[in-house]
Amino acid sequence: MKTPDLRRATSLKRPENHVLHSMRILIVTHAPLAAEFGACQMAINLSDALRAQGHDVTLWSPHPLPPDTRWWQTLRQMRSKLDDFIRTQRSFDVIDCPATFITRQISKAAPVIARSTQPEILYIVNGLNKPTKEELRKLIRLPFDSAYTLYHLFLVLQGWRRSRHILCLGSLELQWMKKWFPWWRGKLTSYFNALSTSDQEALAAVRRQRKKRSTDGLRFLWIGRWTAHKGTDVLLDLISKWLILRPQDTFTIAGCGSGAEKDCARQLLQSGKIKIIPSFERKELYSLLADNDVGLFTSKVEGWGLVLNEMLESGMPVFATQSGGTEDLQPFFKTLIPFPPPVELTLTDRELEIPINYYDTFNWSQVAKMYVTLASAS
């Protein structure tokens, strides 16, 4: 089995006798400072790994925003707050920042790494191609939405131009960037998402305790925000057709807010075969994974989809679309299978052991080492 490496469009070679010194690093996340938010969870894990290697790391978020902030003011408010914060700080050796936050002041304050947590342009394109019912109801807002979308797109491109390095999340995003923005190949690097060590230990316990069930009905699990790019229409189409052929099975949709219940057909909800959990605490994730048999991942466009790691590490087979981290995870898991599942699906004996090189590859310590080498080359 060939282990995928952290890849870069151009090689990063450390000069001989070069000693990597302790650096002062600012990591900026657009999400609130809580592990429940995927982007912040990544920032926390990276921060912890860098601190463990002796670096001085400041983790910062623009939240909370003023309560009267309107949707079109959000980006401007965040950028302004970051500029104000930088003015109060002594200098940093490197600033890790979403592309949309890289103002002129930020680009002059230190070498900037535009680290991706989601493919923003593809999200924008997907939203334009598949507007939600709610968006169609609000036709009066469409011109303003379109103007804001163009503004958002401009800030992404401007941020990439101003950055020293562009850190793509996974191989698919790196390939896409190299194809569509070849003039920035010299800036492009990719990294892999990973769970924290404590999460991996907890999921290993779930995996060891998982047993093959003797009952006929399978329990499917889907976790995610209820948005078009997550393939919610694909999920509902699968469920409606599946339950006609296999009424003994059940589906749980979790972390979806109120959208899933609104979109589900009434007869599906009344069948008792669908359980909707609008939200759950992080500590409840492990029992949620333990209580279900098969994972579903239906994203059309995805940054990574850390739920893939969570389901796979818990010992679940996962049927996944080819998006986000699927391509990078597939070499490590025979239980990561192309979506959709076959109707004749049965659970065979499971491979509960995970190859050791998975943990060697998908861990934040490795990401931090690559990151420091990249930052030191600035």
Side-chain angles (χ1 to χ4, degrees), residues 18-214:
H18 178 68
V19 178
L20 296 179
H21 64 285
S22 175
M23 293 190 294
R24 179 167 157 76
I25 302 170
L26 172 64
I27 295 181
V28 177
T29 175
H30 66 276
L33 293 179
E36 286 77 13
F37 300 93
C40 186
Q41 185 183 147
M42 295 167 67
I44 291 170
N45 290 334
L46 178 57
S47 299
D48 289 346
L50 288 167
R51 289 186 185 115
Q53 294 175 14
H55 300 284
D56 177 9
V57 182
T58 299
L59 177 58
W60 184 88
S61 167
H63 293 277
L65 296 174
D68 59 346
T69 301
R70 302 297 183 90
W71 60 272
W72 66 86
Q73 298 172 323
T74 301
L75 273 176
R76 182 174 58 82
Q77 288 270 17
M78 289 179 168
R79 287 162 59 90
S80 178
K81 287 188 73 171
L82 179 56
D83 278 346
D84 291 342
F85 174 75
I86 285 294
R87 292 188 190 100
T88 68
Q89 303 298 302
R90 61 187 178 89
S91 62
F92 292 95
D93 295 306
V94 62
I95 296 175
D96 175 295
C97 193
T100 51
F101 286 12
I102 304 176
T103 64
R104 181 179 289 104
Q105 178 176 325
I106 297 301
S107 66
K108 291 181 178 180
V112 180
I113 295 177
R115 182 173 55 86
S116 173
T117 59
Q118 58 189 29
E120 294 192 79
I121 291 181
L122 287 177
Y123 277 3
I124 291 171
V125 171
N126 184 261
L128 292 174
N129 289 341
K130 191 78 173 180
T132 65
K133 292 179 181 178
E134 185 66 22
E135 287 170 340
L136 291 175
R137 290 191 195 105
K138 297 180 179 179
L139 291 176
I140 192 170
R141 224 183 77 173
L142 285 180
F144 302 100
D145 284 340
S146 299
Y148 185 79
T149 295
L150 291 174
Y151 171 65
H152 190 167
L153 178 61
F154 168 77
L155 291 183
V156 172
L157 296 174
Q158 184 185 67
W160 285 342
R161 180 178 61 81
R162 288 173 171 171
S163 66
R164 188 72 59 88
H165 302 284
I166 302 172
L167 196 49
C168 303
L169 181 53
S171 300
L172 284 179
E173 186 176 27
L174 177 63
Q175 294 164 15
W176 185 84
M177 287 289 292
K178 288 166 68 175
K179 176 181 178 180
W180 293 102
F181 302 98
W183 52 88
W184 284 330
R185 278 176 175 255
K187 294 184 178 186
L188 298 179
T189 313
S190 69
Y191 74 112
F192 294 155
N193 204 349
L195 296 168
S196 67
T197 301
S198 60
D199 277 338
Q200 290 184 330
E201 290 171 351
L203 290 169
V206 173
R207 186 174 69 251
R208 288 191 295 268
Q209 295 168 10
R210 189 180 291 279
K211 297 179 181 179
K212 182 180 177 181
R213 296 170 59 249
S214 58

Side-chain angles (χ1 to χ4, degrees), residues 1 8 19 42 135 141 192 228 304 330 348 369 372:
M1 179 186 300
R8 187 177 181 192
V19 178
M42 295 167 67
E135 287 170 340
R141 224 183 77 173
F192 294 155
W304 180 270
Q330 242 156 3
T348 58
K369 288 177 183 177
V372 170

Side-chain angles (χ1 to χ4, degrees), residues 4 7 171-172 175 321-331 336:
R7 286 175 280 179
S171 300
L172 284 179
Q175 294 164 15
T321 52
Q322 197 69 17
S323 63
T326 304
E327 180 177 301
D328 294 316
L329 289 166
Q330 242 156 3
L336 181 54

Side-chain angles (χ1 to χ4, degrees), residues 148-355:
Y148 185 79
T149 295
L150 291 174
Y151 171 65
H152 190 167
L153 178 61
F154 168 77
L155 291 183
V156 172
L157 296 174
Q158 184 185 67
W160 285 342
R161 180 178 61 81
R162 288 173 171 171
S163 66
R164 188 72 59 88
H165 302 284
I166 302 172
L167 196 49
C168 303
L169 181 53
S171 300
L172 284 179
E173 186 176 27
L174 177 63
Q175 294 164 15
W176 185 84
M177 287 289 292
K178 288 166 68 175
K179 176 181 178 180
W180 293 102
F181 302 98
W183 52 88
W184 284 330
R185 278 176 175 255
K187 294 184 178 186
L188 298 179
T189 313
S190 69
Y191 74 112
F192 294 155
N193 204 349
L195 296 168
S196 67
T197 301
S198 60
D199 277 338
Q200 290 184 330
E201 290 171 351
L203 290 169
V206 173
R207 186 174 69 251
R208 288 191 295 268
Q209 295 168 10
R210 189 180 291 279
K211 297 179 181 179
K212 182 180 177 181
R213 296 170 59 249
S214 58
T215 56
D216 292 331
L218 295 178
R219 301 170 298 184
F220 291 86
L221 175 64
W222 186 94
I223 300 176
R225 292 184 295 114
W226 200 254
T227 58
H229 73 263
K230 295 282 187 182
T232 53
D233 57 336
V234 174
L235 175 67
L236 292 179
D237 183 62
L238 170 73
I239 293 174
S240 62
K241 293 177 180 177
W242 188 275
L243 289 177
I244 293 172
L245 300 172
R246 295 186 49 143
Q248 71 272 27
D249 296 340
T250 60
F251 291 82
T252 295
I253 301 173
C256 55
S258 60
E261 190 167 354
K262 293 178 181 178
D263 287 351
C264 274
R266 180 175 298 177
Q267 59 268 31
L268 284 180
L269 292 174
Q270 293 175 343
S271 70
K273 296 298 182 178
I274 296 182
K275 180 180 181 181
I276 296 177
I277 304 174
S279 63
F280 58 90
E281 297 291 331
R282 180 72 186 171
K283 62 185 178 182
E284 298 175 289
L285 170 67
Y286 312 116
S287 60
L288 187 60
L289 293 167
D291 291 342
N292 287 279
D293 305 310
V294 181
L296 297 173
F297 182 80
T298 57
S299 293
K300 300 173 182 178
V301 179
E302 189 60 75
W304 180 270
L306 203 55
V307 69
L308 284 170
N309 300 65
E310 293 163 347
M311 289 177 170
L312 291 165
E313 289 189 35
S314 77
M316 298 175 75
V318 181
F319 291 88
T321 52
Q322 197 69 17
S323 63
T326 304
E327 180 177 301
D328 294 316
L329 289 166
Q330 242 156 3
F332 297 89
F333 293 96
K334 293 180 181 179
T335 50
L336 181 54
I337 311 163
F339 183 89
V343 174
E344 63 274 13
L345 175 65
T346 58
L347 293 185
T348 58
D349 292 335
R350 304 172 193 181
E351 294 186 22
L352 297 183
E353 293 302 319
I354 293 179

